[in-house]
PDB file of all heavy atoms in Angstrom:
ATOM      1  N   LEU T 587    -176.853-204.469 134.137  1.00 60.00           N
ATOM      2  CA  LEU T 587    -175.879-203.367 134.063  1.00 60.00           C
ATOM      3  C   LEU T 587    -176.568-202.173 133.448  1.00 60.00           C
ATOM      4  O   LEU T 587    -177.416-202.302 132.581  1.00 60.00           O
ATOM      5  CB  LEU T 587    -174.743-203.768 133.182  1.00 60.00           C
ATOM      6  CG  LEU T 587    -173.704-204.682 133.785  1.00 60.00           C
ATOM      7  CD1 LEU T 587    -172.716-205.058 132.727  1.00 60.00           C
ATOM      8  CD2 LEU T 587    -172.992-203.983 134.937  1.00 60.00           C
ATOM      9  N   GLN T 588    -176.176-200.969 133.899  1.00 62.00           N
ATOM     10  CA  GLN T 588    -176.653-199.785 133.221  1.00 62.00           C
ATOM     11  C   GLN T 588    -175.952-199.653 131.912  1.00 62.00           C
ATOM     12  O   GLN T 588    -174.729-199.575 131.835  1.00 62.00           O
ATOM     13  CB  GLN T 588    -176.350-198.572 134.102  1.00 62.00           C
ATOM     14  CG  GLN T 588    -177.312-198.407 135.261  1.00 62.00           C
ATOM     15  CD  GLN T 588    -178.747-198.231 134.811  1.00 62.00           C
ATOM     16  OE1 GLN T 588    -179.011-197.406 133.958  1.00 62.00           O
ATOM     17  NE2 GLN T 588    -179.674-199.027 135.362  1.00 62.00           N
ATOM     18  N   THR T 589    -176.757-199.704 130.825  1.00 62.00           N
ATOM     19  CA  THR T 589    -176.097-199.506 129.531  1.00 62.00           C
ATOM     20  C   THR T 589    -175.736-198.052 129.390  1.00 62.00           C
ATOM     21  O   THR T 589    -176.476-197.176 129.829  1.00 62.00           O
ATOM     22  CB  THR T 589    -177.006-199.943 128.382  1.00 62.00           C
ATOM     23  OG1 THR T 589    -178.285-199.468 128.631  1.00 62.00           O
ATOM     24  CG2 THR T 589    -176.996-201.473 128.268  1.00 62.00           C
ATOM     25  N   PRO T 590    -174.604-197.740 128.763  1.00 63.00           N
ATOM     26  CA  PRO T 590    -174.153-196.374 128.656  1.00 63.00           C
ATOM     27  C   PRO T 590    -175.124-195.522 127.808  1.00 63.00           C
ATOM     28  O   PRO T 590    -176.014-196.043 127.161  1.00 63.00           O
ATOM     29  CB  PRO T 590    -172.807-196.507 127.973  1.00 63.00           C
ATOM     30  CG  PRO T 590    -172.824-197.859 127.298  1.00 63.00           C
ATOM     31  CD  PRO T 590    -173.710-198.703 128.131  1.00 63.00           C
ATOM     32  N   GLN T 591    -174.912-194.229 127.894  1.00 67.00           N
ATOM     33  CA  GLN T 591    -175.739-193.302 127.104  1.00 67.00           C
ATOM     34  C   GLN T 591    -175.633-193.567 125.614  1.00 67.00           C
ATOM     35  O   GLN T 591    -174.683-194.209 125.157  1.00 67.00           O
ATOM     36  CB  GLN T 591    -175.304-191.866 127.415  1.00 67.00           C
ATOM     37  CG  GLN T 591    -175.770-191.424 128.781  1.00 67.00           C
ATOM     38  CD  GLN T 591    -177.288-191.558 128.953  1.00 67.00           C
ATOM     39  OE1 GLN T 591    -178.029-190.976 128.154  1.00 67.00           O
ATOM     40  NE2 GLN T 591    -177.731-192.327 129.939  1.00 67.00           N
ATOM     41  N   ARG T 592    -176.623-193.072 124.883  1.00 70.00           N
ATOM     42  CA  ARG T 592    -176.603-193.265 123.451  1.00 70.00           C
ATOM     43  C   ARG T 592    -175.318-192.758 122.834  1.00 70.00           C
ATOM     44  O   ARG T 592    -174.817-191.698 123.183  1.00 70.00           O
ATOM     45  CB  ARG T 592    -177.751-192.459 122.805  1.00 70.00           C
ATOM     46  CG  ARG T 592    -179.097-193.064 122.982  1.00 70.00           C
ATOM     47  CD  ARG T 592    -180.107-191.954 122.797  1.00 70.00           C
ATOM     48  NE  ARG T 592    -181.398-192.373 123.247  1.00 70.00           N
ATOM     49  CZ  ARG T 592    -182.402-192.613 122.404  1.00 70.00           C
ATOM     50  NH1 ARG T 592    -182.230-192.432 121.132  1.00 70.00           N
ATOM     51  NH2 ARG T 592    -183.537-193.004 122.859  1.00 70.00           N
ATOM     52  N   TRP T 593    -174.858-193.527 121.907  1.00 77.00           N
ATOM     53  CA  TRP T 593    -173.705-193.122 121.130  1.00 77.00           C
ATOM     54  C   TRP T 593    -174.221-192.883 119.719  1.00 77.00           C
ATOM     55  O   TRP T 593    -174.750-193.810 119.106  1.00 77.00           O
ATOM     56  CB  TRP T 593    -172.669-194.263 121.179  1.00 77.00           C
ATOM     57  CG  TRP T 593    -171.384-193.959 120.512  1.00 77.00           C
ATOM     58  CD1 TRP T 593    -170.752-192.757 120.501  1.00 77.00           C
ATOM     59  CD2 TRP T 593    -170.600-194.872 119.756  1.00 77.00           C
ATOM     60  NE1 TRP T 593    -169.583-192.861 119.820  1.00 77.00           N
ATOM     61  CE2 TRP T 593    -169.465-194.119 119.334  1.00 77.00           C
ATOM     62  CE3 TRP T 593    -170.709-196.184 119.398  1.00 77.00           C
ATOM     63  CZ2 TRP T 593    -168.470-194.700 118.564  1.00 77.00           C
ATOM     64  CZ3 TRP T 593    -169.715-196.766 118.641  1.00 77.00           C
ATOM     65  CH2 TRP T 593    -168.605-196.018 118.224  1.00 77.00           C
ATOM     66  N   PRO T 594    -174.153-191.655 119.232  1.00 81.00           N
ATOM     67  CA  PRO T 594    -174.885-191.325 117.967  1.00 81.00           C
ATOM     68  C   PRO T 594    -174.578-192.282 116.841  1.00 81.00           C
ATOM     69  O   PRO T 594    -175.463-192.727 116.125  1.00 81.00           O
ATOM     70  CB  PRO T 594    -174.410-189.913 117.640  1.00 81.00           C
ATOM     71  CG  PRO T 594    -173.708-189.396 118.834  1.00 81.00           C
ATOM     72  CD  PRO T 594    -173.435-190.512 119.798  1.00 81.00           C
ATOM     73  N   LEU T 595    -173.326-192.647 116.707  1.00 84.00           N
ATOM     74  CA  LEU T 595    -172.952-193.499 115.572  1.00 84.00           C
ATOM     75  C   LEU T 595    -173.627-194.863 115.692  1.00 84.00           C
ATOM     76  O   LEU T 595    -174.200-195.407 114.717  1.00 84.00           O
ATOM     77  CB  LEU T 595    -171.424-193.695 115.558  1.00 84.00           C
ATOM     78  CG  LEU T 595    -170.881-194.404 114.349  1.00 84.00           C
ATOM     79  CD1 LEU T 595    -171.185-193.587 113.080  1.00 84.00           C
ATOM     80  CD2 LEU T 595    -169.384-194.587 114.458  1.00 84.00           C
ATOM     81  N   ALA T 596    -173.629-195.411 116.930  1.00 81.00           N
ATOM     82  CA  ALA T 596    -174.223-196.754 117.149  1.00 81.00           C
ATOM     83  C   ALA T 596    -175.724-196.697 116.890  1.00 81.00           C
ATOM     84  O   ALA T 596    -176.288-197.627 116.272  1.00 81.00           O
ATOM     85  CB  ALA T 596    -173.916-197.228 118.564  1.00 81.00           C
ATOM     86  N   SER T 597    -176.405-195.618 117.353  1.00 82.00           N
ATOM     87  CA  SER T 597    -177.859-195.646 117.186  1.00 82.00           C
ATOM     88  C   SER T 597    -178.233-195.434 115.705  1.00 82.00           C
ATOM     89  O   SER T 597    -179.208-196.023 115.227  1.00 82.00           O
ATOM     90  CB  SER T 597    -178.522-194.609 118.072  1.00 82.00           C
ATOM     91  OG  SER T 597    -177.791-193.440 118.122  1.00 82.00           O
ATOM     92  N   GLN T 598    -177.448-194.623 115.002  1.00 85.00           N
ATOM     93  CA  GLN T 598    -177.698-194.476 113.557  1.00 85.00           C
ATOM     94  C   GLN T 598    -177.487-195.826 112.839  1.00 85.00           C
ATOM     95  O   GLN T 598    -178.302-196.234 112.027  1.00 85.00           O
ATOM     96  CB  GLN T 598    -176.744-193.419 112.940  1.00 85.00           C
ATOM     97  CG  GLN T 598    -177.121-192.006 113.237  1.00 85.00           C
ATOM     98  CD  GLN T 598    -178.475-191.651 112.704  1.00 85.00           C
ATOM     99  OE1 GLN T 598    -178.813-192.034 111.576  1.00 85.00           O
ATOM    100  NE2 GLN T 598    -179.272-190.947 113.472  1.00 85.00           N
ATOM    101  N   TRP T 599    -176.447-196.470 113.224  1.00 85.00           N
ATOM    102  CA  TRP T 599    -176.057-197.725 112.587  1.00 85.00           C
ATOM    103  C   TRP T 599    -177.128-198.785 112.835  1.00 85.00           C
ATOM    104  O   TRP T 599    -177.546-199.514 111.936  1.00 85.00           O
ATOM    105  CB  TRP T 599    -174.717-198.136 113.144  1.00 85.00           C
ATOM    106  CG  TRP T 599    -174.146-199.438 112.651  1.00 85.00           C
ATOM    107  CD1 TRP T 599    -173.669-200.446 113.426  1.00 85.00           C
ATOM    108  CD2 TRP T 599    -173.957-199.863 111.314  1.00 85.00           C
ATOM    109  NE1 TRP T 599    -173.211-201.459 112.659  1.00 85.00           N
ATOM    110  CE2 TRP T 599    -173.364-201.148 111.356  1.00 85.00           C
ATOM    111  CE3 TRP T 599    -174.225-199.292 110.066  1.00 85.00           C
ATOM    112  CZ2 TRP T 599    -173.061-201.865 110.212  1.00 85.00           C
ATOM    113  CZ3 TRP T 599    -173.946-200.042 108.899  1.00 85.00           C
ATOM    114  CH2 TRP T 599    -173.356-201.290 109.006  1.00 85.00           C
ATOM    115  N   SER T 600    -177.612-198.867 114.080  1.00 85.00           N
ATOM    116  CA  SER T 600    -178.606-199.885 114.411  1.00 85.00           C
ATOM    117  C   SER T 600    -179.929-199.607 113.708  1.00 85.00           C
ATOM    118  O   SER T 600    -180.635-200.539 113.313  1.00 85.00           O
ATOM    119  CB  SER T 600    -178.805-199.985 115.912  1.00 85.00           C
ATOM    120  OG  SER T 600    -179.621-198.943 116.370  1.00 85.00           O
ATOM    121  N   LYS T 601    -180.247-198.324 113.505  1.00 85.00           N
ATOM    122  CA  LYS T 601    -181.478-197.986 112.763  1.00 85.00           C
ATOM    123  C   LYS T 601    -181.459-198.523 111.366  1.00 85.00           C
ATOM    124  O   LYS T 601    -182.460-198.942 110.802  1.00 85.00           O
ATOM    125  CB  LYS T 601    -181.655-196.465 112.709  1.00 85.00           C
ATOM    126  CG  LYS T 601    -182.660-195.919 113.725  1.00 85.00           C
ATOM    127  CD  LYS T 601    -182.842-194.454 113.464  1.00 85.00           C
ATOM    128  CE  LYS T 601    -182.956-193.697 114.775  1.00 85.00           C
ATOM    129  NZ  LYS T 601    -182.713-192.270 114.589  1.00 85.00           N
ATOM    130  N   ARG T 602    -180.292-198.539 110.746  1.00 87.00           N
ATOM    131  CA  ARG T 602    -180.191-199.027 109.368  1.00 87.00           C
ATOM    132  C   ARG T 602    -180.032-200.550 109.306  1.00 87.00           C
ATOM    133  O   ARG T 602    -180.477-201.208 108.413  1.00 87.00           O
ATOM    134  CB  ARG T 602    -178.976-198.379 108.696  1.00 87.00           C
ATOM    135  CG  ARG T 602    -179.342-197.038 108.087  1.00 87.00           C
ATOM    136  CD  ARG T 602    -178.198-196.122 107.960  1.00 87.00           C
ATOM    137  NE  ARG T 602    -178.631-194.764 107.594  1.00 87.00           N
ATOM    138  CZ  ARG T 602    -179.292-193.956 108.390  1.00 87.00           C
ATOM    139  NH1 ARG T 602    -179.650-194.352 109.572  1.00 87.00           N
ATOM    140  NH2 ARG T 602    -179.655-192.744 107.964  1.00 87.00           N
ATOM    141  N   LEU T 603    -179.384-201.071 110.411  1.00 87.00           N
ATOM    142  CA  LEU T 603    -179.087-202.496 110.404  1.00 87.00           C
ATOM    143  C   LEU T 603    -180.310-203.337 110.720  1.00 87.00           C
ATOM    144  O   LEU T 603    -180.537-204.381 110.099  1.00 87.00           O
ATOM    145  CB  LEU T 603    -177.974-202.751 111.463  1.00 87.00           C
ATOM    146  CG  LEU T 603    -177.214-204.044 111.307  1.00 87.00           C
ATOM    147  CD1 LEU T 603    -176.468-204.070 109.990  1.00 87.00           C
ATOM    148  CD2 LEU T 603    -176.207-204.190 112.449  1.00 87.00           C
ATOM    149  N   ALA T 604    -181.102-202.872 111.677  1.00 88.00           N
ATOM    150  CA  ALA T 604    -182.199-203.700 112.190  1.00 88.00           C
ATOM    151  C   ALA T 604    -183.221-204.117 111.122  1.00 88.00           C
ATOM    152  O   ALA T 604    -183.556-205.314 111.017  1.00 88.00           O
ATOM    153  CB  ALA T 604    -182.873-203.049 113.385  1.00 88.00           C
ATOM    154  N   PRO T 605    -183.718-203.127 110.302  1.00 89.00           N
ATOM    155  CA  PRO T 605    -184.690-203.581 109.287  1.00 89.00           C
ATOM    156  C   PRO T 605    -184.115-204.619 108.335  1.00 89.00           C
ATOM    157  O   PRO T 605    -184.776-205.580 107.943  1.00 89.00           O
ATOM    158  CB  PRO T 605    -185.023-202.281 108.525  1.00 89.00           C
ATOM    159  CG  PRO T 605    -184.494-201.183 109.335  1.00 89.00           C
ATOM    160  CD  PRO T 605    -183.425-201.720 110.236  1.00 89.00           C
ATOM    161  N   LEU T 606    -182.839-204.406 107.992  1.00 91.00           N
ATOM    162  CA  LEU T 606    -182.171-205.357 107.090  1.00 91.00           C
ATOM    163  C   LEU T 606    -182.112-206.743 107.714  1.00 91.00           C
ATOM    164  O   LEU T 606    -182.390-207.754 107.045  1.00 91.00           O
ATOM    165  CB  LEU T 606    -180.770-204.822 106.810  1.00 91.00           C
ATOM    166  CG  LEU T 606    -180.122-205.213 105.510  1.00 91.00           C
ATOM    167  CD1 LEU T 606    -180.935-204.658 104.352  1.00 91.00           C
ATOM    168  CD2 LEU T 606    -178.685-204.692 105.443  1.00 91.00           C
ATOM    169  N   LEU T 607    -181.745-206.769 109.009  1.00 89.00           N
ATOM    170  CA  LEU T 607    -181.644-208.052 109.720  1.00 89.00           C
ATOM    171  C   LEU T 607    -182.991-208.777 109.745  1.00 89.00           C
ATOM    172  O   LEU T 607    -183.061-209.983 109.555  1.00 89.00           O
ATOM    173  CB  LEU T 607    -181.147-207.841 111.141  1.00 89.00           C
ATOM    174  CG  LEU T 607    -179.626-207.782 111.354  1.00 89.00           C
ATOM    175  CD1 LEU T 607    -179.296-207.369 112.769  1.00 89.00           C
ATOM    176  CD2 LEU T 607    -179.014-209.154 111.039  1.00 89.00           C
ATOM    177  N   ILE T 608    -184.051-208.012 109.997  1.00 89.00           N
ATOM    178  CA  ILE T 608    -185.396-208.614 110.078  1.00 89.00           C
ATOM    179  C   ILE T 608    -185.791-209.183 108.725  1.00 89.00           C
ATOM    180  O   ILE T 608    -186.311-210.304 108.617  1.00 89.00           O
ATOM    181  CB  ILE T 608    -186.418-207.586 110.574  1.00 89.00           C
ATOM    182  CG1 ILE T 608    -186.104-207.225 112.022  1.00 89.00           C
ATOM    183  CG2 ILE T 608    -187.837-208.107 110.467  1.00 89.00           C
ATOM    184  CD1 ILE T 608    -186.854-206.043 112.559  1.00 89.00           C
ATOM    185  N   LEU T 609    -185.493-208.403 107.669  1.00 91.00           N
ATOM    186  CA  LEU T 609    -185.794-208.851 106.312  1.00 91.00           C
ATOM    187  C   LEU T 609    -185.032-210.149 106.002  1.00 91.00           C
ATOM    188  O   LEU T 609    -185.608-211.126 105.488  1.00 91.00           O
ATOM    189  CB  LEU T 609    -185.365-207.748 105.316  1.00 91.00           C
ATOM    190  CG  LEU T 609    -186.086-207.735 103.999  1.00 91.00           C
ATOM    191  CD1 LEU T 609    -187.542-207.456 104.170  1.00 91.00           C
ATOM    192  CD2 LEU T 609    -185.473-206.665 103.086  1.00 91.00           C
ATOM    193  N   VAL T 610    -183.736-210.134 106.292  1.00 89.00           N
ATOM    194  CA  VAL T 610    -182.933-211.326 106.032  1.00 89.00           C
ATOM    195  C   VAL T 610    -183.406-212.509 106.846  1.00 89.00           C
ATOM    196  O   VAL T 610    -183.449-213.639 106.330  1.00 89.00           O
ATOM    197  CB  VAL T 610    -181.414-211.023 106.339  1.00 89.00           C
ATOM    198  CG1 VAL T 610    -180.596-212.297 106.216  1.00 89.00           C
ATOM    199  CG2 VAL T 610    -180.879-209.939 105.395  1.00 89.00           C
ATOM    200  N   ALA T 611    -183.831-212.258 108.078  1.00 89.00           N
ATOM    201  CA  ALA T 611    -184.310-213.346 108.965  1.00 89.00           C
ATOM    202  C   ALA T 611    -185.487-214.060 108.311  1.00 89.00           C
ATOM    203  O   ALA T 611    -185.521-215.276 108.208  1.00 89.00           O
ATOM    204  CB  ALA T 611    -184.687-212.810 110.328  1.00 89.00           C
ATOM    205  N   PHE T 612    -186.470-213.263 107.812  1.00 88.00           N
ATOM    206  CA  PHE T 612    -187.638-213.906 107.228  1.00 88.00           C
ATOM    207  C   PHE T 612    -187.330-214.561 105.886  1.00 88.00           C
ATOM    208  O   PHE T 612    -187.925-215.575 105.532  1.00 88.00           O
ATOM    209  CB  PHE T 612    -188.817-212.951 107.146  1.00 88.00           C
ATOM    210  CG  PHE T 612    -189.458-212.795 108.519  1.00 88.00           C
ATOM    211  CD1 PHE T 612    -189.186-211.693 109.296  1.00 88.00           C
ATOM    212  CD2 PHE T 612    -190.281-213.772 109.005  1.00 88.00           C
ATOM    213  CE1 PHE T 612    -189.745-211.573 110.538  1.00 88.00           C
ATOM    214  CE2 PHE T 612    -190.852-213.661 110.259  1.00 88.00           C
ATOM    215  CZ  PHE T 612    -190.554-212.584 111.048  1.00 88.00           C
ATOM    216  N   PHE T 613    -186.370-213.967 105.141  1.00 89.00           N
ATOM    217  CA  PHE T 613    -185.946-214.609 103.913  1.00 89.00           C
ATOM    218  C   PHE T 613    -185.315-215.965 104.207  1.00 89.00           C
ATOM    219  O   PHE T 613    -185.620-216.981 103.577  1.00 89.00           O
ATOM    220  CB  PHE T 613    -184.908-213.704 103.203  1.00 89.00           C
ATOM    221  CG  PHE T 613    -184.281-214.351 102.021  1.00 89.00           C
ATOM    222  CD1 PHE T 613    -185.012-214.575 100.848  1.00 89.00           C
ATOM    223  CD2 PHE T 613    -182.963-214.759 102.052  1.00 89.00           C
ATOM    224  CE1 PHE T 613    -184.447-215.177  99.765  1.00 89.00           C
ATOM    225  CE2 PHE T 613    -182.387-215.367 100.944  1.00 89.00           C
ATOM    226  CZ  PHE T 613    -183.116-215.581  99.802  1.00 89.00           C
ATOM    227  N   VAL T 614    -184.423-215.975 105.246  1.00 87.00           N
ATOM    228  CA  VAL T 614    -183.750-217.236 105.609  1.00 87.00           C
ATOM    229  C   VAL T 614    -184.794-218.269 106.066  1.00 87.00           C
ATOM    230  O   VAL T 614    -184.697-219.464 105.747  1.00 87.00           O
ATOM    231  CB  VAL T 614    -182.709-216.953 106.723  1.00 87.00           C
ATOM    232  CG1 VAL T 614    -182.300-218.237 107.425  1.00 87.00           C
ATOM    233  CG2 VAL T 614    -181.510-216.249 106.157  1.00 87.00           C
ATOM    234  N   LEU T 615    -185.808-217.804 106.796  1.00 87.00           N
ATOM    235  CA  LEU T 615    -186.867-218.732 107.248  1.00 87.00           C
ATOM    236  C   LEU T 615    -187.597-219.338 106.080  1.00 87.00           C
ATOM    237  O   LEU T 615    -187.840-220.549 106.022  1.00 87.00           O
ATOM    238  CB  LEU T 615    -187.849-217.947 108.159  1.00 87.00           C
ATOM    239  CG  LEU T 615    -189.075-218.709 108.585  1.00 87.00           C
ATOM    240  CD1 LEU T 615    -188.694-219.860 109.479  1.00 87.00           C
ATOM    241  CD2 LEU T 615    -190.038-217.796 109.297  1.00 87.00           C
ATOM    242  N   TRP T 616    -187.956-218.487 105.099  1.00 85.00           N
ATOM    243  CA  TRP T 616    -188.711-218.958 103.959  1.00 85.00           C
ATOM    244  C   TRP T 616    -187.898-219.894 103.085  1.00 85.00           C
ATOM    245  O   TRP T 616    -188.387-220.902 102.577  1.00 85.00           O
ATOM    246  CB  TRP T 616    -189.218-217.754 103.143  1.00 85.00           C
ATOM    247  CG  TRP T 616    -190.010-218.156 101.947  1.00 85.00           C
ATOM    248  CD1 TRP T 616    -189.612-218.067 100.646  1.00 85.00           C
ATOM    249  CD2 TRP T 616    -191.307-218.758 101.975  1.00 85.00           C
ATOM    250  NE1 TRP T 616    -190.585-218.559  99.842  1.00 85.00           N
ATOM    251  CE2 TRP T 616    -191.648-218.993 100.616  1.00 85.00           C
ATOM    252  CE3 TRP T 616    -192.214-219.119 102.961  1.00 85.00           C
ATOM    253  CZ2 TRP T 616    -192.854-219.584 100.236  1.00 85.00           C
ATOM    254  CZ3 TRP T 616    -193.394-219.686 102.592  1.00 85.00           C
ATOM    255  CH2 TRP T 616    -193.715-219.906 101.240  1.00 85.00           C
ATOM    256  N   ARG T 617    -186.602-219.536 102.930  1.00 82.00           N
ATOM    257  CA  ARG T 617    -185.726-220.355 102.108  1.00 82.00           C
ATOM    258  C   ARG T 617    -185.478-221.724 102.736  1.00 82.00           C
ATOM    259  O   ARG T 617    -185.075-222.650 102.039  1.00 82.00           O
ATOM    260  CB  ARG T 617    -184.355-219.654 101.934  1.00 82.00           C
ATOM    261  CG  ARG T 617    -184.375-218.552 100.945  1.00 82.00           C
ATOM    262  CD  ARG T 617    -184.489-219.021  99.533  1.00 82.00           C
ATOM    263  NE  ARG T 617    -183.202-219.579  99.067  1.00 82.00           N
ATOM    264  CZ  ARG T 617    -183.077-220.184  97.919  1.00 82.00           C
ATOM    265  NH1 ARG T 617    -184.110-220.348  97.140  1.00 82.00           N
ATOM    266  NH2 ARG T 617    -181.896-220.642  97.531  1.00 82.00           N
TER     267      ARG T 617
END
Side-chain angles (χ1 to χ4, degrees):
Chain T
L587 282 175
Q588 282 300 310
T589 43
Q591 285 304 303
R592 284 159 193 249
W593 185 37
L595 189 62
S597 41
Q598 283 300 318
W599 179 231
S600 78
K601 258 186 220 163
R602 274 153 190 70
L603 200 61
L606 207 62
L607 273 173
I608 292 168
L609 204 64
V610 173
F612 281 100
F613 173 71
V614 164
L615 174 66
W616 179 252
R617 284 287 285 173

